Amino acid sequence: MSWVARKANIQGDVWPGLPKRFQTFLFFKIRKPDEFKTRLRSFVDEHITTAQEACDMKNQILAAKTKAKDSGVPAKILPLPGVNIAFASTGLAALGKFTFNEAAVKKDRNLSKIFKKNQLRGGLFGKGMYDDLVGEGWDEPKELRSQFKPSAGKRLIDGVLMVTASRAEDLRYKVLRVKEHFLKEPGSDDPDTVRYSNDPCLEFPFTSQGRTRPEKGKEHFGFEDGISQPLIEGLDEVAPKDKEPKAVKSGLIFARHDGDPMNQPEWAEDGSFLVIRDLQQLVPEFEKWLEDNKHNAPFAADSDDPKEKLAAYLMGRWRNGTPVDESPHHDKDPNLFRSNNFDFHPVDKHDKCPFAAHIRKMRPRGDLNHDHAVIIRRGISYGDEVTPEEKAAQKSSEEKERGLMFVCYQSDIRNGFNFLTTRWASNHHFPDRKANFVGEHGPGIDAIVGQRLNHHPERSIGLPDGKHPTEARIGLDRWVIPRGGEYFFTPSIKAMKEYLTGPPDYPPELAGP
């Protein structure tokens, strides 16, 4: 299939990403599968935003910005709403397209053939995030939002509809139209007189809202976000230069593409696994810790701004996006804002960027010489700005939660999100083979997203101090609280028009958990 055809088949948030200043996550539960399938078929043509359409949107935005710059006036915000949909394993099971009863299915010769042909591979997708990161991971159940926890042993989420827009009024209108499509009575097509069904095909147990901050492009800790996305061979036209990471095979993001080892069924082609994770951020506490510890970090105490230097050590970038590997002492060079042209060499030292800095944990570059755990990030902030009262108290208000709706895509959750979170971010000894340069306790934990169990070493990070091996180490507090989430699959346009809305593969008693 040509890339032109693929762009019309891929959902647009996977690539190139939906333009968004505002976003609503409509988490849904399927009640009447057959009716839902019928409505989904028409919904795809009427509402789903493809990759090609998302590209066209971004071109319109670029043209508007160019015209405004030439005219010397502010660029007009364009009304460009977008919609994508994804299904949890329970959602596919509700449609009869996934089974949790593998042993029983394999006893039937015909069903066994269907299973081998059509069952989506990937054990973590079947488990869902709760069983993965609570049952076998490091999430604390009491910290998770109730909607992300099973009730009476059953998961509450079958899928998610993601609606995006650049203006709040456009978002509200599009969300209303999306809900109407699935909730209205048959034949109630006039938007002015629409009647909602008392027995709809699905329900929306809860929604989540995201929006960009006033400092557009920055998350709540104040760091420039969305930098260093992987370039995809065949899709991204920009070629990596100098020390920038090489473009990756599309199979690390899309099912059944070159580089995807999962051997997914034919219907899954051009789809991608989606992870949504609610990360609450304790911003006043983070700022207090930086202030309290700014003189405890070697090389930071002599900086013009010790607090900002310490923050840059933890992230691996200054808050404006300047990499410390390229500019370890200041963030004043505008040519380095959002720069990606570095590789951490020499990798036997961390004089500039700590081995355990967040961006080095998540993308080790020269430490590994290649990308094999790759995700595309599409997250968005949520919640209000820090209030003057919170700043004065240096403590987050229980009524004013804020954070990041972390969103990412990959062709394999285990080798993508899960690997990055558990094997790299939360591992004190990754990057590997650094003991000779940083001591026996290893580089340390990712200060931003690293997690630990009670029997693990205390949270800490090794810092540059000019010695060999380095001896400086600083204890860390916890400023990001995982509040739960779910694993999904984002299918292609073709899959939703054909396979997923076709007859069920399994009877309900063999499909559901």
Side-chain angles (χ1 to χ4, degrees):
M1 184 184 295
S2 70
W3 280 114
V4 172
R6 287 194 189 279
K7 288 179 183 179
N9 197 39
I10 291 169
Q11 293 198 57
D13 198 47
V14 186
W15 185 96
L18 297 176
K20 62 184 79 169
R21 289 173 180 261
F22 300 91
Q23 181 165 6
T24 296
F25 298 84
L26 296 167
F27 295 97
F28 62 82
K29 190 75 176 173
I30 299 170
R31 298 180 66 250
K32 299 163 71 175
D34 290 341
E35 182 183 337
F36 174 80
K37 289 179 181 180
T38 299
R39 296 191 182 221
L40 179 61
R41 288 189 198 103
S42 59
F43 183 80
V44 172
D45 285 332
E46 294 176 23
H47 293 284
I48 293 296
T49 308
T50 67
Q52 184 58 62
E53 290 167 337
C55 286
D56 294 342
M57 288 179 178
K58 296 200 169 190
N59 288 335
Q60 291 179 53
I61 293 171
L62 179 60
K65 287 181 177 179
T66 301
K67 181 178 180 181
K69 184 178 179 181
D70 293 341
S71 303
V73 298
K76 183 180 179 180
I77 297 177
L78 302 176
L80 298 172
V83 180
N84 275 187
I85 189 172
F87 297 87
S89 53
T90 52
L92 294 186
L95 301 180
K97 301 298 187 177
F98 188 91
T99 179
F100 291 92
N101 300 288
E102 181 176 340
V105 164
K106 287 185 174 179
K107 292 179 181 179
D108 183 290
R109 179 176 296 180
N110 291 330
L111 291 180
S112 181
K113 289 180 180 179
I114 291 173
F115 177 88
K116 290 178 181 179
K117 179 181 179 183
N118 292 336
Q119 179 84 345
L120 202 61
R121 280 79 165 168
L124 298 188
F125 171 71
K127 284 183 178 180
M129 183 179 287
Y130 184 88
D131 281 356
D132 178 29
L133 295 183
V134 171
E136 298 183 16
W138 300 348
D139 279 3
E140 175 56 59
K142 65 182 182 182
E143 295 177 341
L144 305 183
R145 303 195 193 281
S146 59
Q147 56 261 35
F148 292 125
K149 295 193 286 188
S151 176
K154 293 184 178 294
R155 287 153 62 186
L156 304 180
I157 301 170
D158 283 343
V160 60
L161 282 151
M162 297 181 294
V163 187
T164 63
S166 296
R167 302 188 306 192
E169 59 269 30
D170 296 322
L171 181 77
R172 288 191 293 268
Y173 179 82
K174 194 65 175 180
V175 167
L176 184 61
R177 297 285 85 80
V178 167
K179 286 184 174 181
E180 285 177 355
H181 187 95
F182 291 102
L183 301 180
K184 67 185 179 182
E185 289 186 358
S188 176
D189 297 324
D190 186 343
D192 295 326
T193 60
V194 66
R195 299 184 305 277
Y196 285 92
S197 172
N198 293 322
D199 187 25
C201 66
L202 57 69
E203 59 187 9
F204 297 102
F206 69 100
T207 63
S208 294
Q209 305 291 341
R211 64 181 181 185
T212 56
R213 296 183 56 237
E215 291 184 279
K216 191 173 184 294
K218 292 192 174 186
E219 47 73 56
H220 278 291
F221 288 145
F223 291 96
E224 195 74 25
D225 199 15
I227 306 175
S228 189
Q229 298 279 25
L231 297 175
I232 301 176
E233 293 179 1
L235 279 175
D236 289 297
E237 297 176 359
V238 179
K241 62 182 181 181
D242 301 331
K243 298 179 181 179
E244 291 182 346
K246 297 178 181 178
V248 301
K249 292 185 180 300
S250 60
L252 291 178
I253 304 299
F254 297 102
R256 292 184 64 85
H257 283 214
D258 183 26
D260 174 20
M262 295 294 288
N263 191 29
Q264 297 289 3
E266 289 185 12
W267 71 264
E269 185 170 349
D270 289 343
S272 186
F273 287 99
L274 162 66
V275 173
I276 296 179
R277 188 159 170 83
D278 182 338
L279 300 176
Q280 183 184 355
Q281 294 175 265
L282 306 181
V283 179
E285 290 84 346
F286 179 67
E287 296 296 335
K288 180 181 187 301
W289 184 90
L290 291 173
E291 187 66 34
D292 291 346
N293 288 274
K294 64 185 180 183
H295 295 301
N296 297 332
F299 297 162
D302 297 332
S303 171
D304 291 340
D305 195 336
K307 178 182 174 182
E308 290 305 307
K309 178 64 178 289
L310 179 55
Y313 268 154
L314 302 186
M315 181 60 68
R317 290 183 185 268
W318 299 84
R319 296 206 214 208
N320 66 6
T322 300
V324 295
D325 195 62
E326 291 187 87
S327 182
H329 303 302
H330 67 85
D331 63 350
K332 304 299 190 292
D333 185 350
N335 294 318
L336 296 180
F337 298 174
R338 300 181 64 89
S339 173
N340 208 22
N341 192 20
F342 59 95
D343 58 11
F344 301 127
H345 279 284
V347 296
D348 58 351
K349 296 180 180 180
H350 64 160
D351 292 343
K352 294 181 288 186
C353 182
F355 291 133
H358 174 67
I359 69 164
R360 193 162 184 172
K361 282 275 196 179
M362 293 293 93
R363 199 168 193 185
R365 301 178 187 241
D367 288 319
L368 289 183
N369 290 322
H370 64 93
D371 284 324
H372 72 269
V374 174
I375 59 174
I376 286 184
R377 292 164 285 129
R378 303 291 187 218
I380 190 168
S381 294
Y382 69 84
D384 295 329
E385 295 298 295
V386 175
T387 65
E389 292 77 14
E390 288 176 297
K391 288 181 180 179
Q394 298 182 312
K395 182 176 175 59
S396 298
S397 167
E398 293 183 2
E399 288 77 35
K400 294 284 186 180
E401 284 191 6
R402 60 189 57 84
L404 179 74
M405 286 299 286
F406 176 82
V407 176
C408 73
Y409 295 93
Q410 57 264 281
S411 63
D412 178 7
I413 295 172
R414 185 179 296 280
N415 195 48
F417 164 79
N418 179 275
F419 191 95
L420 293 172
T421 301
T422 62
R423 302 292 185 88
W424 286 359
S426 304
N427 180 358
H428 276 265
H429 293 277
F430 183 82
D432 300 328
R433 298 181 293 278
K434 304 297 186 186
N436 290 338
F437 317 119
V438 74
E440 62 178 338
H441 298 295
I445 201 169
D446 184 322
I448 309 300
V449 298
Q451 295 178 256
R452 65 175 291 274
L453 296 174
N454 290 334
H455 63 276
H456 287 168
E458 292 296 321
R459 296 168 59 86
S460 67
I461 184 173
L463 295 176
D465 60 8
K467 300 178 181 179
H468 186 80
T470 57
E471 299 173 359
R473 198 165 200 88
I474 192 168
L476 300 168
D477 288 344
R478 185 171 176 240
W479 312 290
V480 176
I481 313 298
R483 303 301 302 273
E486 189 54 280
Y487 297 152
F488 303 90
F489 185 73
T490 305
S492 70
I493 304 302
K494 179 181 178 181
M496 289 188 285
K497 288 184 174 182
E498 298 177 5
Y499 173 72
L500 291 179
T501 50
D505 288 343
Y506 313 102
E509 64 271 16
L510 288 181

